[in-house]
Amino acid sequence: MAEQLHLQASSREERYQELYPQLQSLTCRETNLIANLANAAAALRQAFDFFWVGFYLVEGDELVLGPFQGDIACTRIARGRGVCGTSWLTGKTLVVPDVDAFPGHIACSSASRSEIVVPLRDTAGEIVGVLDIDSDQLSDFSEEVDRPALEQIALLLAPLFSKVKQ
Ligand code: SME
């Protein structure tokens, strides 16, 4: 079946609002975690043309690269390292306006200028990975628009992880 996103809004906030129900219907019909994360990464990239969108998934004491859209990236990140590992360690979303100013930032690409990382939890509240989005523009992500919208998407994805564990 052909899948197509319908996105018309010009503001980022409205685009997130358009995207959310489409992500919901896209992921609720499929139980395979990889398929759902792959489509979620593709949808976010397609909607906003971000430089890099992807998932890192918890495996032991590391994050391992999962489905993503963009250039090749580092495959393993230790807990507490870089923006992704710090988001996992603290359990908090990190909005980084200038990656060069973030101590310990892991530069997978020199074109990346700003970044947002959102922890992903399963329905039991355990952190199972992070959603990482990079931009080639400085200060491209905001606490007011991107953070709540992406945290809402992280909540939408939570049951997918729980299905895998059952
Ligand atoms: N910059 C991230 C590493 C992953 S790449 O951006 C794809 C970090 O510091 O954790």
Side-chain angles (χ1 to χ4, degrees):
M1 192 181 77
E3 302 282 359
Q4 210 178 339
L5 292 178
H6 299 281
L7 299 163
Q8 288 165 341
S10 49
S11 86
R12 191 178 287 183
E13 188 168 19
E14 286 170 342
R15 264 195 179 224
Y16 278 121
Q17 286 164 9
E18 285 182 334
L19 182 63
Y20 185 85
Q22 296 180 70
L23 265 183
Q24 203 166 24
S25 69
L26 199 58
T27 54
C28 75
R29 287 181 271 127
E30 175 55 64
T31 54
N32 183 277
L33 178 67
I34 300 301
N36 279 324
L37 295 184
N39 260 345
L44 281 164
R45 183 111 190 273
Q46 196 180 326
F48 301 104
D49 200 24
F50 290 131
F51 178 72
W52 196 93
V53 180
F55 295 93
Y56 280 92
L57 304 175
V58 171
E59 199 176 286
D61 56 3
E62 290 179 316
L63 292 167
V64 181
L65 183 63
F68 71 96
Q69 291 271 314
D71 291 0
I72 59 168
C74 52
T75 56
R76 287 175 186 270
I77 298 173
R79 194 160 187 260
R81 298 291 307 278
V83 186
C84 293
T86 305
S87 175
W88 176 22
L89 181 69
T90 60
K92 303 246 188 280
T93 296
L94 293 177
V95 177
V96 180
D98 178 357
V99 294
D100 292 333
F102 187 94
H105 167 257
I106 301 164
C108 292
S109 165
S110 58
S112 176
R113 305 254 54 92
S114 59
E115 183 165 1
I116 184 166
V117 179
V118 181
L120 301 169
R121 292 183 164 80
D122 63 16
T123 49
E126 190 182 329
I127 297 186
V128 287
V130 299
L131 166 61
D132 178 16
I133 305 182
D134 286 35
S135 171
D136 56 7
Q137 311 291 316
L138 279 171
S139 305
D140 200 12
F141 304 104
S142 73
E143 295 280 353
E144 296 74 23
V145 172
D146 300 279
R147 178 186 175 141
L150 293 170
E151 287 180 346
Q152 198 187 13
I153 289 172
L155 280 177
L156 171 68
L157 300 177
L160 307 178
F161 291 96
S162 302
K163 275 182 204 158
V164 168
K165 290 173 91 185
Q166 280 164 11

